[in-house]
Amino acid sequence: MTNNRYEPELKQKVLHLYLEEGRTKKSLTEEEEEFYNNLVEHNILAKIKVYPNCQHGFTHDCFEEYDEVQSKIAWNDMSLFLKEHIF
């Protein structure tokens, strides 16, 4: 194996869920795009989903940032991804 952190032999599948708040910070958006492009370049299945108007912790009802509607969508997205690609 090489030292490449996007090692193609691993055959990873990545569902990258991220928040719209990160897209307001140019450096984070650039990192997200670089991460995604590197995965795709190494033939690693990658899906990105942006959840509008959400902050870190939006899927957990114990946090102030909890967003019931987006949380349900996110948990469903994660479940479908796992069923389709992992199980």
Side-chain angles (χ1 to χ4, degrees):
M1 282 180 56
T2 67
N3 290 328
N4 185 342
R5 67 182 187 171
Y6 303 104
E7 187 61 56
E9 289 91 6
L10 295 177
K11 305 290 185 214
Q12 301 110 325
K13 295 171 176 68
V14 177
L15 173 63
H16 188 80
L17 308 174
Y18 82 99
L19 315 172
E20 188 173 54
E21 80 172 334
R23 296 182 74 72
T24 63
K25 299 177 176 86
K26 186 176 182 192
S27 63
L28 289 178
T29 300
E30 290 171 356
E31 284 181 23
E32 300 291 347
E33 290 173 3
E34 179 185 6
F35 177 67
Y36 175 79
N37 290 333
N38 281 323
L39 292 172
V40 171
E41 179 181 322
H42 289 90
N43 297 314
I44 297 170
L45 173 70
K47 293 184 180 183
I48 293 179
K49 174 76 183 257
V50 177
Y51 296 90
N53 304 312
C54 291
Q55 298 178 21
H56 186 77
F58 79 99
T59 59
H60 301 288
D61 61 5
C62 59
F63 294 128
E64 186 177 312
E65 297 83 9
Y66 178 65
D67 181 314
E68 184 176 4
V69 172
Q70 292 299 326
S71 176
K72 287 180 181 178
I73 294 168
W75 284 113
N76 186 60
D77 290 342
M78 289 182 269
S79 176
L80 290 174
F81 183 86
L82 291 171
K83 286 176 185 174
E84 183 178 345
H85 300 290
I86 307 299
F87 301 110

